[in-house]
């Protein structure tokens, strides 16, 4: 026990006196969390709550213009700004970037729609031998043109979804108009269709939420993603410091001296692992405090950490174990500090990218998603998401804890193998 | 096992994995208790491998090593308790103070409390470092670091001390303090196994030497007797005569 306690004390003293190392371990993740949460706040909101600025020029005074305007309002996707401009002005304003979309509904659009529908209905009834009116052969309908202007950088998928949304708004009024004209033609002598008797939706979509608790109602926002993500990244970055410490001890003869001392080397290694694990726990707590108290001051949402503190603590400990195990392995495999720090940094960055630290895994291509399953950072992040977003319990995160502990032991086994080989 | 032997090597062979020739080739050696024994040889001769096997750091391919009454292969833990090792490198933590380094090493040997503090103080006074004990190692000169490195190897009063180039790169005064104290420790019963490239120092310090080359002991005895026997003026000439003048860069 004396050897273990003494090793822990020695390691902590060395770590606390390494100002550069401390900066990397603590300031770097804080900076990453803050910067990434701020940067990704807008993209996350894009998917969830952000409204797209839309310029609406409605020159129509009839029902069509009103229906389109109502549809746009009801979609809740847009921040509508109504102005009175001509075609060129709308185009220039959108091009300048003030608005993502510009919609121009021309004068007498409703009137033109009515004329087109009237002509169509009369023609069809005439062809069927019904109705009184006769339509000249050369009399054709001209489609009503609604102009939609998109900003130069608007994505194609976004354009399609906007046009579909507008088509949905206009199709109902088209159908309603069509129905009214048929009704008018067929009941010229009788009672006309009541204007208030609007066409019903024959198919209705019921939106049913699966959320049962307030915790489950939380959505993956920038803070909920970035705080655990960059905390895990920071924890794993300890690999560089730990591998460097192992290599330094080997280079300066301390490792040799320790191995000539009585007692098991595992005790010394455990002391090192416990010290670095302690640092990772402090790191994680500090990062969570940033999410709870600092980020809200910057206008970001407050981090929600769920209610299962024990499960969260275990998640932190097992993530720290995986990181320290990886550090021991890297320190045992590589001969120089440069090799270890380069490999350590690059491998952590790759595992982080695969693990969904930068962008959530669900937006990645399928092939990458499969590879993500092998990243310890992904296991850790998934565990934190289970706790923070899905009100997960200890049993929910057990598979992740198991994977992280297996990774830890696999790393140690590899380290022992390489250490044995080097002897 | 000879009860007067500190170390006995019998038919010791070490062949590293993938190596064509043995690093240590059938060495048999008897080192009596209470001597300062110099194991000398050019680079790559097999010194480090031999000493590493004596300390239990690497296992021999064949042969037997006895340290005092313990077999290194079978009683490694017992051997570790009675040996001290001073590596050529400054095996200290630069951001810890001299006291913190020695406290850690003392704890690793099971020493603690006031007894450990007293031992550290005594050694620091002996080596003239008590005034700087709370300064970090990275502020020390090369000679000061060497002295702390030596204290770290003798803090637990080992019966046998292994020294690898203990005075390399140090000032004359520091070297003098180190060699004087090694003589003192030896007079008090400590067996010292020493390797160095400094032949003059080895000649003055060692009571017995062995010259090793290509993994074999090529001569063994008291330095003055060997110098006379081979008709040379000093140990350096003897060394060159036996090992040749060809450069040994690897």
């Amino acid at each position: 026990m004396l050897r273990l306690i003494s090793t822990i004390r020695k390691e902590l003293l060395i770590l606390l006196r390494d100002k550069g190392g401390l900066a990397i371990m603590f300031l770097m993740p804080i900076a990453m969390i803050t910067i990434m949460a701020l940067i990704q706040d807008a993209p996350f909101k894009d998917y969830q709550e952000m409204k797209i600025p839309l310029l609406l020029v409605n020159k129509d005074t009839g029902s069509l213009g009103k229906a389109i305007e109502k549809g746009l309002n009801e979609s809740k996707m847009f921040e509508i700004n109504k102005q009175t401009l001509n075609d060129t002005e709308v185009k220039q304003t959108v091009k300048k970037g003030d608005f993502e979309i510009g919609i121009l509904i021309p004068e007498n659009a409703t009137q033109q729609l009515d004329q087109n529908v009237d002509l169509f209905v009369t023609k069809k009834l005439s062809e069927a031998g019904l109705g009184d009116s006769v339509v000249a052969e050369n009399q054709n309908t001209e489609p009503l043109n609604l102009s939609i202007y998109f900003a130069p950088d608007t994505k194609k998928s976004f354009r399609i979804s906007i046009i579909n949304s507008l088509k949905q708004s206009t199709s109902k009024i088209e159908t309603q108009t069509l129905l009214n004209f048929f009704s008018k033609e067929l009941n010229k002598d009788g009672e006309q269709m009541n204007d208030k008797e609007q066409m019903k939706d024959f198919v209705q979509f019921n939106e049913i939420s699966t959320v049962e608790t307030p915790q489950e109602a939380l959505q993956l926002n920038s803070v909920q993603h970035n705080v655990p993500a960059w905390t895990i990244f920071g924890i794993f970055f300890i690999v560089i410091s730990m591998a460097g410490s192992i290599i330094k001890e080997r280079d300066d003869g301390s490792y040799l001296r320790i191995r000539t001392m009585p007692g098991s080397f595992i005790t010394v290694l455990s002391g090192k692992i416990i010290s670095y694990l302690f640092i990772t726990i402090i790191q994680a707590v500090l990062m969570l405090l940033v999410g709870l108290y600092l980020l809200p001051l910057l206008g970001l949402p407050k981090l929600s950490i769920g209610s299962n503190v024990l499960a969260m603590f275990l998640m932190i400990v097992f993530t720290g174990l995986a990181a320290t195990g990886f550090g021991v392995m890297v320190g045992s495999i590589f001969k120089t500090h440069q090799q270890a720090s380069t490999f350590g940094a690059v491998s952590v960055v790759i595992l982080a990218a695969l693990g969904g630290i930068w962008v959530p895994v669900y937006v990645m291509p399928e092939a990458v998603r499969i590879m993500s399953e092998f990243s310890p950072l992904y296991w850790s992040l998934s565990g934190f998401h289970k706790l923070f977003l899905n009100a997960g319990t200890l049993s929910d995160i057990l598979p992740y804890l198991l994977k992280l502990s297996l990774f830890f032991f696999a790393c140690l086994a590899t380290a022992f193998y390489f250490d044995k080989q080097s002897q | 096992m000879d009860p007067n032997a500190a170390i006995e090597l019998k038919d010791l062979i070490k062949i590293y994995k993938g190596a064509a020739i043995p690093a240590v080739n059938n060495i048999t050696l008897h080192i009596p208790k209470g001597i300062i024994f110099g194991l000398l040889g050019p680079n790559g001769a097999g010194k480090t491998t031999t000493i590493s096997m004596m300390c239990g750091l690497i296992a021999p391919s064949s042969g037997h090593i006895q340290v005092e009454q313990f077999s290194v292969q079978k009683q490694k833990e017992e051997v570790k308790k009675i040996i001290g090792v001073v590596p050529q490198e400054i095996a200290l933590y630069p951001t810890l103070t001299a006291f913190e380094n020695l406290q850690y090493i003392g704890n690793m040997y099971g020493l603690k409390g006031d007894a450990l503090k007293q031992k550290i103080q005594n050694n620091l006074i002996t080596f003239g470092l008590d005034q700087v004990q709370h300064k970090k190692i990275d502020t020390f000169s090369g000679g000061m670091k060497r002295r702390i490195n030596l204290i770290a190897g003798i803090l637990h009063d080992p019966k046998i001390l292994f020294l690898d180039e203990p005075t390399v790169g140090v000032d004359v005064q520091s070297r003098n303090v180190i060699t004087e104290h090694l003589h003192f420790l030896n007079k008090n019963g400590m067996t010292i196994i020493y390797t160095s490239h400094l032949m003059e120092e080895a000649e003055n310090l060692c009571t017995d030497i062995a010259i090793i080359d290509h993994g074999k002991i090529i001569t063994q005895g008291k330095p003055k007797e060997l110098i006379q026997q081979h008709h040379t003026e000093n140990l350096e000439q003897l060394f060159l005569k036996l090992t040749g003048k060809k450069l040994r860069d690897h």
Side-chain angles (χ1 to χ4, degrees):
Chain A
M1 187 54 82
L2 177 66
R3 284 162 57 87
L4 181 68
I5 293 168
S6 186
T7 305
I8 293 170
R9 189 176 58 203
K10 180 259 292 182
E11 292 292 344
L12 288 177
L13 276 174
I14 292 170
L15 282 166
L16 291 174
R17 288 175 189 173
D18 178 10
K19 302 285 185 287
L22 283 179
I24 291 174
M25 280 185 263
F26 291 102
L27 296 181
M28 186 269 291
I30 290 177
M32 294 301 274
I33 283 174
T34 311
I35 293 165
M36 296 306 286
L38 284 168
I39 289 172
Q40 292 190 353
D41 191 39
F44 269 98
K45 279 182 179 167
D46 265 353
Y47 296 110
Q48 291 166 357
E49 60 200 59
M50 199 173 143
K51 292 193 171 183
I52 299 151
L54 182 142
L55 172 63
L56 179 65
V57 179
N58 184 6
K59 294 182 179 176
D60 180 45
T61 51
S63 57
L64 179 64
K66 283 175 187 155
I68 291 172
E69 206 174 318
K70 191 181 168 200
L72 292 171
N73 274 318
E74 284 175 352
S75 75
K76 292 179 182 171
M77 284 171 67
F78 307 105
E79 187 185 314
I80 299 169
N81 188 307
K82 284 179 76 178
Q83 291 186 27
T84 310
L85 303 170
N86 63 32
D87 291 25
T88 316
E89 287 168 334
V90 172
K91 189 177 177 183
Q92 288 306 319
T93 310
V94 173
K95 193 175 180 180
K96 222 165 61 181
D98 294 346
F99 297 94
E100 192 74 25
I101 308 159
I103 297 177
L104 196 147
I105 307 167
E107 272 179 80
N108 303 322
T110 307
Q111 204 180 337
Q112 196 183 339
L113 176 70
D114 287 351
Q115 280 172 2
N116 284 346
V117 173
D118 188 17
L119 194 62
F120 175 79
V121 170
T122 307
K123 200 173 177 182
K124 287 294 165 194
L125 289 176
S126 172
E127 283 168 9
L130 299 165
D132 305 329
S133 308
V134 178
V135 180
E137 280 294 317
N138 58 351
Q139 204 173 344
N140 285 319
T141 57
E142 284 295 321
L144 167 65
N145 284 316
L146 294 179
S147 304
I148 307 168
Y149 299 87
F150 288 103
D153 56 351
T154 308
K155 286 181 184 170
K156 193 180 173 186
S157 58
F158 183 68
R159 290 178 191 211
I160 292 168
S161 87
I162 295 298
I163 289 170
N164 283 341
S165 173
L166 286 169
K167 274 183 181 171
Q168 197 185 352
S169 298
T170 54
S171 69
K172 198 170 177 182
I173 192 88
E174 278 176 340
T175 313
Q176 184 76 53
T177 310
L178 195 65
L179 202 63
N180 286 345
F181 274 92
F182 265 115
S183 173
K184 196 174 85 181
E185 286 295 323
L186 290 172
N187 297 291
K188 271 196 170 161
D189 301 326
E191 196 182 332
Q192 282 197 16
M193 192 183 193
N194 188 346
D195 278 351
K196 288 179 183 172
E197 196 181 324
Q198 295 295 310
M199 199 180 75
K200 288 179 182 174
D201 283 331
F202 295 108
V203 178
Q204 197 172 313
F205 294 95
N206 293 327
E207 195 178 324
I208 302 161
S209 171
T210 57
V211 170
E212 288 173 342
T213 64
Q215 183 67 26
E216 288 178 343
L218 272 171
Q219 284 185 308
L220 185 64
N221 59 37
S222 177
V223 170
Q224 291 300 132
H225 170 73
N226 281 296
V227 174
W230 293 103
T231 300
I232 295 165
F233 184 79
I235 287 174
F236 266 84
F237 232 70
I238 212 162
V239 165
I240 296 169
S241 172
M242 194 165 189
S245 157
I246 289 169
I247 289 168
K248 194 172 173 301
E249 284 194 348
R250 203 168 54 213
D251 285 350
D252 70 13
S254 304
Y255 174 68
L256 184 144
R257 176 174 266 157
I258 289 167
R259 286 190 55 227
T260 62
M261 291 172 174
S264 168
F265 180 68
I266 291 174
T267 310
V268 178
L269 185 63
S270 301
K272 192 179 272 293
I273 289 171
I274 290 168
S275 309
Y276 278 82
L277 186 60
F278 178 70
I279 295 291
T280 61
I281 292 168
I282 302 281
Q283 260 186 324
V285 171
L286 193 63
M287 301 312 136
L288 295 178
L289 290 175
V290 167
L292 287 169
Y293 300 107
L294 177 66
L295 297 186
L297 294 178
L298 301 173
L300 293 166
K302 185 180 178 180
L303 175 73
S304 170
I305 57 168
S307 54
N308 201 328
V309 178
L310 173 68
M312 183 181 70
F313 180 73
L314 288 175
M315 209 59 233
I316 293 169
V317 169
F318 278 75
T319 303
L321 273 179
T324 50
F326 193 41
V328 172
M329 186 180 80
V330 172
S332 303
I333 292 175
F334 292 96
K335 301 295 170 210
T336 68
H337 193 275
Q338 285 88 341
Q339 286 174 348
S341 57
T342 306
F343 176 83
V346 171
S347 61
V348 170
V349 167
I350 290 171
L351 290 172
L354 289 175
I357 301 297
W358 293 349
V359 290
V361 170
Y362 64 78
V363 300
M364 296 179 187
E366 195 183 345
V368 184
R369 283 207 301 271
I370 292 167
M371 288 159 76
S372 296
E373 295 285 342
F374 298 96
S375 167
L377 283 85
Y378 173 70
W379 307 330
S380 181
L381 188 58
S382 301
F384 278 111
H385 280 173
K386 268 268 185 280
L387 294 174
F388 291 0
L389 295 170
N390 303 114
T393 60
L394 190 56
S395 60
D396 292 322
I397 60 161
L398 268 180
Y400 305 115
L401 298 183
L402 186 67
K403 283 181 186 178
L404 289 166
S405 55
L406 285 175
F407 179 78
F408 168 70
F409 287 115
C411 286
L412 287 194
T414 311
F416 280 120
Y417 171 78
F418 275 92
D419 189 53
K420 193 111 181 133
Q421 291 294 307
S422 68
Q423 288 170 34
Chain B
M1 170 74 195
D2 178 358
N4 292 320
I7 296 172
E8 277 189 315
L9 310 180
K10 196 162 184 239
D11 305 326
L12 196 65
I13 295 174
K14 177 67 186 179
I15 305 169
Y16 286 109
K17 202 183 257 183
I21 52 166
V24 170
N25 193 358
N26 208 25
I27 285 182
T28 295
L29 197 62
H30 176 270
I31 303 172
K33 283 179 183 172
I35 66 166
I36 301 179
F37 183 82
L39 187 62
L40 311 173
N43 287 338
K47 300 188 298 289
T48 305
T49 303
T50 306
I51 286 188
S52 295
M53 287 192 286
M54 289 180 191
C55 299
L57 288 171
I58 55 172
S61 303
S62 66
H64 184 72
I65 312 164
Q66 192 88 7
V67 172
E68 295 261 327
Q69 70 270 39
F70 306 112
S71 160
V72 172
Q73 288 105 314
K74 292 174 187 165
Q75 295 159 290
K76 203 182 275 184
E77 278 302 300
E78 298 305 319
V79 171
K80 284 179 176 181
K81 285 177 191 167
I82 60 165
I83 65 167
V85 178
V86 180
Q88 184 181 341
E89 300 86 2
I90 305 293
L92 301 166
Y93 300 97
T95 55
L96 299 188
T97 66
F99 184 85
E100 287 165 346
N101 267 286
L102 296 173
Q103 190 181 36
Y104 170 64
I105 288 161
N107 286 159
M108 297 303 279
Y109 280 105
L111 305 171
K112 58 183 176 180
D114 290 339
L116 173 61
K117 281 182 187 167
Q118 197 56 53
K119 265 182 182 296
I120 293 172
Q121 286 305 322
N122 291 345
N123 277 289
L124 287 170
I125 291 166
T126 302
F127 285 93
L129 294 163
D130 53 316
Q131 299 297 314
V132 291
Q133 60 179 300
H134 296 302
K135 288 195 172 175
K136 289 179 192 170
I137 293 294
D138 58 9
T139 64
F140 282 19
S141 69
M144 290 160 84
K145 286 177 187 170
R146 284 271 162 216
R147 281 180 271 157
I148 294 285
N149 207 29
L150 176 60
I151 296 172
I154 60 173
L155 201 58
H156 61 295
D157 297 324
K159 287 185 175 179
I160 301 167
L161 179 65
F162 292 92
L163 294 162
D164 188 4
E165 305 271 6
T167 59
V168 71
V170 302
D171 58 288
V172 178
Q173 283 78 10
S174 287
R175 182 182 297 175
N176 183 51
V177 169
I178 289 170
T179 51
E180 270 188 8
H181 196 70
L182 289 175
H183 278 299
F184 172 79
L185 291 170
N186 178 244
K187 276 180 190 158
N188 282 282
M190 190 183 285
T191 305
I192 295 170
I193 315 295
Y194 162 96
T195 70
S196 179
H197 287 103
L198 302 171
M199 292 299 137
E200 192 184 339
E201 185 181 278
E203 192 177 330
N204 294 330
L205 185 69
C206 299
T207 54
D208 293 74
I209 62 156
I211 295 178
I212 182 172
D213 200 9
H214 303 297
K216 288 187 172 185
I217 301 287
I218 52 175
T219 193
Q220 185 186 351
K222 301 213 175 289
K224 281 181 184 164
E225 290 173 8
L226 290 172
I227 290 164
Q228 279 181 351
Q229 195 182 320
H230 288 87
H231 310 292
T232 53
E233 289 180 9
N234 54 39
L235 191 57
E236 188 165 326
Q237 282 187 7
L238 169 70
F239 184 84
L240 287 171
K241 188 175 180 181
L242 296 176
T243 60
K245 292 183 178 178
K246 192 180 167 190
L247 290 170
R248 307 290 183 92
D249 292 332
H250 49 79

